[in-house]
Amino acid sequence: MNPVKTHHLNLKATLALAVLALSGLGAQAAESSSPSEGLHGLIGIGAVYSPTYVGAKESRSHAVLLPDLRYRKGAFEASTLGGLRYWAVEKPDFQFALTLGVDAGREDHKVKGFLGQSGSDRLRGMGKIKASGELGVAGSWSGLGLPLNFELKTALGKKGHGGTLASIGSSLPLLASGPLELGAEVSLGFADKRYLQSYYGVSAAQAAATSFKEFHPKAGLYGADLGLSARYKLSDSMSLMANASYHRVLGDAAKSPLVERKGAPTVLVGLGYTF
């Protein structure tokens, strides 16, 4: 089960969205029977095309590493993308976990890294949003036939975004026979004023330091995501993978002066090894 992630499209969020979708194509049946103990996951390489940040007109292409490593011991699970989880309930039609993860924050200028650039110079003067821990709950309910995924998390401390956000959505296997697997995901994201002010708002001080007008968004619905994933098995462990997703900024967030384009795609292709 892969609870849908709310996200802002920095590098880590892009990888989390794509890799969770790719690695989760055939995971639901296995996880509903018996979770895998010990170390398992997916590692690979690929290329991604995405906006420099949510709402940006500018997009960027670069190489990526695809590390989705998970270690499971009883009800406890640790992963490189999902953080720490304690699975309090694991039934065939309902799963519920306590979560501890990290929000990576956002740069206010272009930053060169090992695998290309991140950030955007258009945000220069807005100030960096620092990384922060997030405590929450996540789960899935399939009582109506399709899995209903949900997640709620809040920041630990006020050094990062300092807010609370939630998502609700569903994932659907479209094809799961033979070497080709196809899946689709849809989700809606909600957030409080503090989170939206951090990522979409412009304070008086930020307005004075930039060309943006002061803006204070209200809490509520702020985004929707639609994703399609494909995996072609070359062998029992090697696969070609692709993920295409579309994010639409909604609500008060769409009125932000930071938003140049309300909707934009993210595309990832890669080669992965599962174990």
Side-chain angles (χ1 to χ4, degrees):
M1 182 275 298
N2 285 324
V4 175
K5 301 281 185 184
T6 48
H7 60 284
H8 48 91
L9 289 174
N10 55 38
L11 177 59
K12 182 175 180 181
T14 300
L15 293 182
L17 175 68
V19 175
L20 285 173
L22 293 170
S23 62
L25 280 173
Q28 288 183 338
E31 290 184 353
S32 63
S33 56
S34 59
S36 299
E37 292 277 324
L39 181 65
H40 60 285
L42 174 147
I43 55 176
I45 57 173
V48 65
Y49 170 85
S50 68
T52 54
Y53 67 92
V54 170
K57 185 182 297 183
E58 179 187 14
S59 295
R60 182 176 296 136
S61 301
H62 52 88
V64 291
L65 297 177
L66 305 176
D68 182 22
L69 306 179
R70 308 182 188 188
Y71 180 79
R72 177 72 183 247
K73 183 67 175 179
F76 290 93
E77 183 180 44
S79 72
T80 52
L81 294 177
L84 300 177
R85 296 191 174 215
Y86 175 77
W87 293 97
V89 180
E90 289 187 282
K91 295 182 178 180
D93 61 346
F94 181 67
Q95 299 88 37
F96 180 81
L98 305 177
T99 67
L100 179 62
V102 176
D103 177 272
R106 185 184 68 192
E107 298 288 348
D108 70 344
H109 61 283
K110 287 184 179 179
V111 177
K112 292 184 178 180
F114 175 67
L115 292 173
Q117 294 180 337
S118 62
S120 171
D121 283 342
R122 185 171 184 266
L123 300 178
R124 192 177 293 276
M126 289 294 296
K128 178 179 179 178
I129 301 175
K130 296 181 179 179
S132 62
E134 292 179 327
L135 183 65
V137 296
S140 180
W141 178 65
S142 55
L144 298 178
L146 289 177
L148 179 65
N149 306 319
F150 59 88
E151 186 170 26
L152 172 68
K153 52 190 177 182
T154 189
L156 298 174
K158 299 180 180 180
K159 291 184 178 181
H161 64 73
T164 299
L165 60 159
S167 67
I168 186 170
S170 185
S171 56
L172 175 66
L174 301 178
L175 178 65
S177 61
L180 179 63
E181 296 179 349
L182 301 175
E185 292 190 347
V186 61
S187 70
L188 295 173
F190 306 83
D192 65 1
K193 291 175 61 176
R194 184 171 291 173
Y195 179 88
L196 294 181
Q197 184 65 39
S198 294
Y199 281 107
Y200 296 95
V202 181
S203 67
Q206 289 170 329
T210 66
S211 60
F212 300 123
K213 294 182 179 180
E214 188 173 349
F215 179 70
H216 300 277
K218 298 178 182 178
L221 177 68
Y222 76 95
D225 290 277
L226 175 64
L228 296 173
S229 300
R231 180 169 64 184
Y232 186 83
K233 295 181 180 179
L234 301 174
S235 67
D236 290 340
S237 55
M238 295 294 297
S239 300
L240 293 173
M241 307 174 298
N243 174 264
S245 63
Y246 178 81
H247 179 77
R248 179 78 178 183
V249 185
L250 300 173
D252 259 21
K255 304 174 185 177
S256 170
L258 305 181
V259 175
E260 298 176 289
R261 185 170 57 169
K262 295 180 181 180
T266 295
V267 179
L268 182 146
V269 293
L271 176 67
Y273 173 82
T274 55
F275 62 95

